[in-house]
Amino acid sequence: QVRLVESGGGSVQAGGSLALSCDASGRIFSIYEMGWYRQAPGNQRELVATIRTSGSTNYADSVKGRFTISRDNAKNTVYLQMNSLKPEDTAVYYCNADLKEERGTDPYIYWGQGTQVTVSS
């Protein structure tokens, strides 16, 4: 089985920084894309940033220039450095991974359990 475990959430004042990490473990043949999503109370889950094996990245407009996604392919780990945090960044942050468990199987998207990020004004 595949597990994704996030860490690094917490509380911070506006303007501060937090770093999240997500470790994928278990039966993994290859990971194509890893990403971070977030969900605030009453809102739908939304994209924050994604990164492919090649290193190409994609960011939501709301976080461009403030957040940086990175990835260690050897460790199956994805990171999210969040700077200049705003109260509207408050949400549960989830990582995901689009991966294959075995050669020749279809890829599947796995999700972590989420980690709370709270930004106070």
Side-chain angles (χ1 to χ4, degrees):
Q1 284 201 348
V2 175
R3 288 187 67 206
L4 272 64
V5 179
E6 301 101 336
S7 60
S11 298
V12 67
Q13 289 191 328
S17 298
L18 282 174
L20 306 182
S21 63
C22 173
D23 296 315
S25 62
R27 189 171 65 181
I28 298 172
F29 172 69
S30 62
I31 302 178
Y32 297 99
E33 183 174 274
M34 302 186 80
W36 290 96
Y37 290 72
R38 67 187 181 187
Q39 187 168 17
N43 290 354
Q44 291 186 336
R45 191 172 297 188
E46 63 178 11
L47 167 76
V48 176
T50 60
I51 184 168
R52 295 186 176 179
T53 308
S54 63
S56 66
T57 57
N58 179 46
Y59 292 93
D61 288 342
S62 59
V63 307
K64 283 181 181 177
R66 300 188 298 121
F67 292 9
T68 301
I69 189 171
S70 60
R71 177 174 167 177
D72 186 329
N73 292 330
K75 295 182 178 179
N76 291 333
T77 300
V78 63
Y79 307 95
L80 186 68
Q81 178 64 42
M82 304 183 293
N83 299 327
S84 302
L85 282 161
K86 304 175 181 180
E88 51 263 44
D89 294 318
T90 295
V92 177
Y93 282 70
Y94 299 90
C95 74
N96 79 353
D98 184 1
L99 62 87
K100 286 187 176 183
E101 292 188 42
E102 295 179 355
R103 183 191 299 272
T105 61
D106 292 330
Y108 189 80
I109 296 177
Y110 291 86
W111 291 88
Q113 81 287 353
T115 185
Q116 178 69 45
V117 171
T118 302
V119 184
S120 58
S121 58

